[in-house]
Structure formats: C-alpha cells, structure tokens
C-alpha cells in the first residue's frame, strides 16, 4: 500500500463512536418516516462541494466493504483523500458501487445505470446519496408506501426532468432497485425503493 | 479516547469494551443491513452475525441489532414473553447496562428501544420507538421446505402456494387454522414473513404500527424489518378469516379483559389463574386502580396518558 499524504485532510467526526451512532439513528428515522427530513446535528465537516450531511452519511455507512462511485462534481482530490483516509473506501464504477455520491443531480446518470440487485439478492443494490440545494421549491410529487401513513408530498428541486419517471420504473422493479438518500446542508431525507410516486 | 470518557461517565459503563460491546466496523455492517431491510420490508437480509457473550438462541440477533442502534440518550426496555423480570430479559438488560451504561426502564411508554422475546407490548407504541424482536427461526417456509437454496428462490419469485396448502391442511384436519404462534404474515404484499414466535394475538399490532420494528436472528444470520405504517396481513382464507385468541377469563391481578393472558397452575388439584403476560401493562393498570380507589375518584388514573394509548388491538 502506498503511503498517503495526510496533510490537509480535514478531521472526520469529533467522536466517531457517538457521532456515527447519532447520525445512523437519524438516517434510520429517515428510512422509517419517509418524506420527512431529519437533521444530522453531529454533521459538521464540509469537504469541497459536499455538504456536511453528505459527508456524515459517508462517515457513518461506508468503509472498506463498500466501494463508492463519485460523480464528476464530487470526484475531487480533497473528497477522495478524505474518504480514503476516514472510511477506507475504494472508488469504483456506478454499476459496481454500494454507495453513489451525487454532487450535481442535474447531470446524474439514469437510475438503471447503478447496481439494482437481483431477485435472489435485492440487497446488492446501490444506495444513491444525492445532494440537493433544498428539500422544497421543486415540482410537487406525492409519495405512498411503507413509512408513510397515507401519503406525503415532496418538492425536491434541481432533479433531472426524467427523475420521477425513472423512480416509478425503479419502483416497478420492486423488490429490486436502488434506494435514495437526499442530503441538503445537514439534513437527510430518504426515498426507499418501496415507495411509489405520483407526479 | 473521548468515546470512552463520555460513555464511562454515564452509569458506570465498563470502558474495557467499545460502547455497546460491538466494534465499529461490525456496527456499520449491521446498520447497512438494517437500512436494506427497511427498504425491502419483510425481506431477510443476510448479515455477518458476530459472536456475542451469550449462546445462540438467547437473543443474539436482537442483541446485535440493539447494540448497533443504541446511544447514550436511549432508554432500554427488555421483555421476555411480556415480562421484564424473566431470566432472558434480566440478563440482556444487565448486559447493556454494563456495556453502554444507558438508562433502562420497565415502562413501555418511556422506552425508546424495546427488545422483545416473543411478545408485542400491550401498550400501543408511538413514532420513533423501536421494537427489536429476537428471532430463533426467520424462515417461515423452513418446516415446509428445508433447503434454504429453495426457500430463497420461493421468496425471490413470490412462490408461496405451499404455505396456503399448509393452512388448508390445518382446516381439513382440525376444522380451523391451528397455528397459534409464528403465524405467517404477508408484509407489504410481497414477502412472506415469520413474525417470530409471537402469539397470533399480537399479529394485528405488526401492521400500520407507528414504531420501527426490526427482527434479528443471530444463529440464522438474518435481519428483517417492518417500517412504520407498513401493511402486514396475516394469511387466511375468505371462508376462514384470521382470528385472534380470546379468553373467557379476565386477568386475576388487574382485571384486564383485552390483554394476552398466561395460565398459571396454582396447586396439584388443578386450580389455576390467568394473568396478563405483559407485566408492565398489568402493573400500570393495578397502580391506576389503586390510585383511583385511594382518593375516591375514578376518573384520575395514575398514568392517564398510558391508559389513553391502548390501541384497538391491545
């Protein structure tokens, strides 16, 4: 293994054990109460173009077992160094990734370009971490499914025009498919594959 | 290390272990599996079950789930067949007291995490509470098809006819569906799921529950989940609809008529009594009855909010 230049790498969680536990519980709540944003109060590091929530999700969930894909915006030396140092992740292609970090949703690949899992192993799919500028102000969609009492509306801006159409196609593959975790500032909002959308 | 200092300052946690016993990499692996399980309700996600300081069969799956999600601000409740004071519950509660130092409670409504062996509490759960089931045998099809390679395919392609045949055979032999615990359910209309050996009395509480429900099988190395407000349907037939157990007796201690009752033999002559299996529910009802009989008012139970929380199925 070649020596890594560690000078200039920002610190990760102040307290790795408790901060990652707290962050995970917020992510779990996000998956449990779909469409409701959760604030990651322990997220405090911004790396290059990536918000504290995006970084906190990486610190909490990724390690040497989870190859990640970085979109052209996220793929920079500070981000690569930070994730290699703190998480020990390797960077890979979209279809081989466990997690995909999307810094600029407008130019992201179509959802079926990522790992979707198989009938026997639906868990072997990519979790997309999509960083958006806000959780409201975009086109209104209505979500239904597990984690939602009856239905909930969502208006995420800056997504590509095909996103919700692709999402419905992704949902129709259920139980195969990708899961999405939207991040913004220090908040997260989950969109598991079990959720259907009405535009 | 700051983690050890913060944790050790609370409740006399043993700092020789990492917080909550598991190492961080194991927790991360389990956390990722929990999220997959939440995304695909009822699907059994394989995970790298770790050796725990308890034998398999004593709730190691549930313990690993609890260890992966618990934090210093949680209040933990552990029940075994509804009781807080049974051996399994006491030892697991002590284990977490030792390795996390978190507060423990016997009150269902005060707990943030409830680890359970084979019961769902009578008191209705609320949003953000997490119910963790200890699962001995996660595969509902195992008794019908022992080969795991086959049962995995049956789940993959939604081939669940065999289970209907089993229920039908019950009807043809006994006149009714004779399964009383581990009664199979269909989760989110996709995966056949074992609700762990809870009595079928508790099955209606699984669906549309505001709490997060996680299931852990340590020996079988599987995690599955029922997210809040998920549809969970107990299998049945149009002419043999699903029914829960009912008792003609009421609880001898608190008088409850709607709770799940345990039958206790009192002597060798066959005398018996029926009591609530949920000790917290029973004790709370007794307390509120005493409080209202002491001050002569019937309308002021000791825990009014908890009385109000009794759901339609409790």
């Amino acid at each position: 293994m070649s020596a890594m230049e560690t000078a200039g790498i920002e610190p990760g969680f102040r307290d790795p054990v408790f901060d990652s536990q707290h962050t995970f519980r917020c992510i779990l709540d996000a998956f449990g109460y779909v469409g409701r944003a959760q604030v990651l109060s322990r997220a405090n590091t911004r790396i290059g173009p990536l918000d504290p929530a995006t970084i906190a999700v990486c610190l909490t969930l990724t390690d040497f077992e989870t190859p990640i894909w970085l979109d052209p915006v996220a793929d920079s030396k500070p981000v690569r160094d930070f994730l290699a140092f703190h998480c020990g992740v390797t960077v890979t292609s979209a279809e081989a990734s466990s997690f995909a970090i999307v810094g600029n949703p407008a130019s992201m690949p179509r959802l079926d370009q990522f790992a979707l899992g198989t009938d026997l192993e639906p868990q072997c799919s990519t979790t997309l971490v999509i960083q958006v500028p806000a959780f409201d102000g975009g086109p209104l969609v209505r979500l239904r499914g597990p984690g939602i009492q009856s239905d909930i509306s969502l208006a995420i801006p800056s997504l590509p025009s095909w996103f919700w159409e692709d999402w419905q196609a992704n949902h129709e593959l259920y139980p195969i498919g990708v899961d999405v975790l939207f991040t913004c500032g220090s908040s997260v909002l989950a969109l598991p594959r079990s959720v259907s959308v009405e535009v | 290390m700051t983690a050890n200092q913060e944790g050790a300052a609370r409740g006399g946690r043993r700092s020789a272990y990492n917080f909550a016993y598991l190492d961080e990499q194991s927790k991360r692996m389990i956390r990722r599996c929990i999220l997959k399980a939440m995304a695909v309700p009822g699907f059994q996600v394989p995970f790298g079950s770790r050796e725990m300081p308890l034998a398999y069969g004593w709730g190691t799956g549930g313990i690993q789930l609890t260890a992966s999600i618990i934090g210093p601000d949680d209040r933990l409740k552990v029940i075994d067949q509804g009781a807080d004071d049974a051996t399994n519950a006491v030892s697991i509660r002590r284990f977490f007291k030792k390795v996390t130092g978190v507060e423990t409670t016997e009150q269902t409504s005060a707990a943030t995490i409830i680890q359970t062996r084979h019961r769902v509490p009578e008191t209705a759960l609320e949003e953000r509470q997490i119910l963790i089931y200890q699962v001995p045998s996660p595969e509902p099809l195992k008794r019908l098809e022992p080969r795991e390679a086959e049962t995995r395919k049956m789940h993959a392609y939604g081939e669940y006819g065999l289970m209907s045949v089993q229920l039908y055979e019950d009807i043809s032999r006994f006149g009714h569906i004779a399964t009383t615990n581990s009664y199979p359910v269909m989760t989110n209309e996709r995966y056949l799921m074992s609700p762990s050996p809870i009595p079928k009395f508790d099955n209606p509480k699984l669906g549309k529950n505001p709490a997060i429900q996680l299931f852990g099988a340590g020996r079988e190395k599987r995690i599955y989940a029922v997210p809040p407000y998920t549809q969970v349907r107990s299998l049945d037939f149009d002419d043999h609809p699903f029914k829960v157990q009912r008792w003609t007796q009421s609880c001898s201690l608190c008088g409850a008529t709607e709770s799940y009752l345990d039958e206790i033999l009192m002597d060798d002559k066959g005398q018996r009594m029926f009591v609530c299996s949920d000790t917290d529910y029973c004790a709370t009802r007794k307390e509120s009855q005493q409080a209202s009989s002491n001050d002569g008012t019937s309308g002021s139970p000791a825990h009014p909010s908890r009385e109000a929380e009794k759901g339609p199925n409790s």
Side-chain angles (χ1 to χ4, degrees):
Chain A
M1 202 175 173
S2 60
M4 184 191 279
E5 181 55 61
T6 54
I9 293 180
E10 294 286 320
F13 280 136
R14 206 168 51 85
D15 194 328
V17 174
F18 294 99
D19 291 355
S20 59
Q21 184 275 333
H22 187 270
T23 303
F24 173 71
R25 280 291 281 280
C26 295
I27 299 171
L28 178 61
D29 275 345
F31 270 81
Y33 304 101
V34 174
R36 299 193 226 167
Q38 309 289 333
V39 179
L40 310 179
S41 58
R42 309 286 173 97
N44 50 22
T45 312
R46 177 185 298 278
I47 304 295
L50 298 184
D51 281 354
T54 315
I55 292 298
V57 167
C58 293
L59 289 171
T60 303
L61 295 176
T62 67
D63 56 32
F64 65 92
E65 292 182 337
T66 57
I68 64 167
W69 176 80
L70 298 168
D71 81 344
V73 171
D75 195 0
S76 57
K77 189 173 183 314
V79 171
R80 275 183 179 247
D81 283 353
F82 181 88
L83 295 179
F85 180 72
H86 289 289
C87 310
V89 298
T90 50
V91 176
T92 184
S93 61
E95 70 272 14
S97 60
S98 298
F99 290 88
I101 314 298
V102 177
N104 177 22
S107 62
M108 66 183 280
R110 303 293 287 244
L111 294 183
D112 61 6
Q113 301 299 299
F114 296 94
L116 300 175
T118 61
D119 282 317
L120 280 169
E121 293 181 318
Q123 77 275 19
C124 297
S125 59
T126 306
T127 300
L128 277 75
V129 182
I130 304 179
Q131 185 174 303
V132 290
F135 287 153
D136 49 20
L140 199 70
V141 294
R142 196 161 284 280
L143 308 178
R144 281 173 208 280
I148 303 168
Q149 199 162 8
S150 52
D151 57 84
I152 193 164
S153 46
L154 195 63
I156 296 200
S158 306
L159 293 174
S161 57
W162 47 260
F163 185 86
W164 293 112
E165 197 186 308
D166 262 31
W167 181 260
Q168 202 47 30
N170 182 64
H171 172 71
E172 274 155 23
L173 291 174
Y174 181 85
I176 293 171
V178 298
D179 305 310
V180 169
L181 200 55
F182 292 110
T183 58
C184 168
S186 56
S187 301
V188 294
L189 191 151
L191 193 63
R193 66 190 87 168
S194 55
V195 167
S196 72
V197 66
E198 228 173 83
V199 181
Chain B
M1 192 179 169
T2 52
N4 279 337
Q5 285 156 8
E6 187 183 329
R10 291 164 178 270
R13 179 172 81 80
R14 300 262 176 100
S15 56
Y17 292 106
N18 187 28
F19 180 83
Y21 187 80
L22 285 177
D23 60 283
E24 290 303 300
Q25 208 279 321
S26 300
K27 287 185 194 171
R28 236 181 346 257
M29 173 270 298
I30 294 171
R31 286 167 181 167
R32 288 194 295 258
C33 291
I34 292 174
L35 295 184
K36 295 288 186 191
M38 291 288 284
V40 191
F43 173 71
Q44 300 167 46
V45 183
F47 81 110
S49 182
R50 300 298 192 239
E51 291 254 359
M52 299 304 283
L54 275 87
Y56 282 145
W58 285 84
T60 50
I63 292 171
Q64 288 178 77
L65 285 175
T66 303
S68 304
I69 66 169
I70 199 165
D73 301 327
D74 278 310
R75 268 186 312 279
L76 177 70
K77 172 182 164 82
V78 187
I79 52 173
D80 174 358
Q81 303 268 17
D84 292 274
D85 52 5
T87 314
N88 194 222
V90 170
S91 58
I92 292 172
R93 193 160 54 233
R94 280 196 193 144
F95 170 73
F96 279 110
K97 195 119 197 106
K98 213 175 264 181
V99 296
T100 65
V102 302
E103 222 183 298
T104 57
T105 181
E106 296 194 355
Q107 280 185 34
T108 303
S109 53
T112 55
I113 299 174
I114 303 171
Q115 184 172 330
T116 174
R117 175 176 174 270
H118 310 353
R119 262 324 296 283
V120 180
E122 304 285 357
T123 309
L125 301 175
E126 291 173 358
E127 283 198 356
R128 287 174 208 282
Q129 284 186 303
I130 302 176
L131 185 59
I132 293 176
Y133 297 76
Q134 301 171 196
V135 183
S137 174
E139 181 48 73
L141 297 162
K142 193 169 188 169
R143 273 181 295 176
L144 305 166
E145 173 51 72
R147 291 168 297 178
E148 200 200 307
E150 291 301 313
T151 56
R152 287 181 61 206
K153 280 185 209 157
M154 290 158 83
H155 285 294
Y157 307 125
E159 289 282 350
Y160 295 136
L162 207 52
M163 187 51 97
S164 299
V165 173
Q166 148 108 355
L167 297 180
Y168 174 74
E169 281 180 352
D170 263 14
I171 293 171
S172 62
R173 197 177 300 167
F174 306 110
H176 61 102
I177 298 174
T179 310
T180 54
N181 65 32
S182 308
Y183 191 104
V185 295
M186 188 61 79
T187 303
N188 194 28
E189 289 304 325
R190 176 59 183 83
Y191 282 104
L192 185 72
M193 186 186 100
S194 163
S196 86
I198 57 171
K200 69 173 179 177
F201 179 88
D202 286 337
N203 271 24
K205 298 175 199 165
L206 292 172
K208 303 280 170 200
N209 196 316
I212 294 172
Q213 300 174 82
L214 304 176
F215 298 75
R219 180 186 49 218
E220 306 293 328
K221 302 177 173 52
R222 293 290 184 276
I223 289 170
Y224 53 105
V226 176
Y229 310 116
T230 300
Q231 198 191 343
V232 178
R233 178 170 60 82
S234 300
L235 295 189
D236 61 358
F237 298 105
D238 288 346
D239 50 345
H240 286 272
F242 173 77
K243 270 191 257 164
V244 299
Q245 299 100 315
R246 290 281 167 215
W247 288 262
T248 48
Q249 297 84 355
S250 56
C251 172
S252 308
L253 301 176
C254 74
T257 54
E258 314 240 282
S259 66
Y260 187 80
L261 299 178
D262 284 338
E263 184 178 2
I264 299 171
L265 285 174
M266 303 300 288
D267 55 23
D268 290 344
K269 297 182 185 106
Q271 205 186 335
R272 58 197 63 195
M273 76 189 262
F274 287 83
V275 295
C276 293
S277 113
D278 186 334
T279 51
D280 168 59
Y281 175 78
C282 195
T284 309
R285 279 177 52 89
K286 273 193 295 179
E287 262 172 49
S288 67
Q289 285 159 5
Q290 271 162 10
S292 58
S293 66
N294 284 349
D295 59 30
T297 56
S298 57
S300 59
H303 298 279
S305 61
R306 301 180 67 195
E307 284 293 296
E309 274 167 17
K310 277 189 290 171
N313 301 313
S314 60

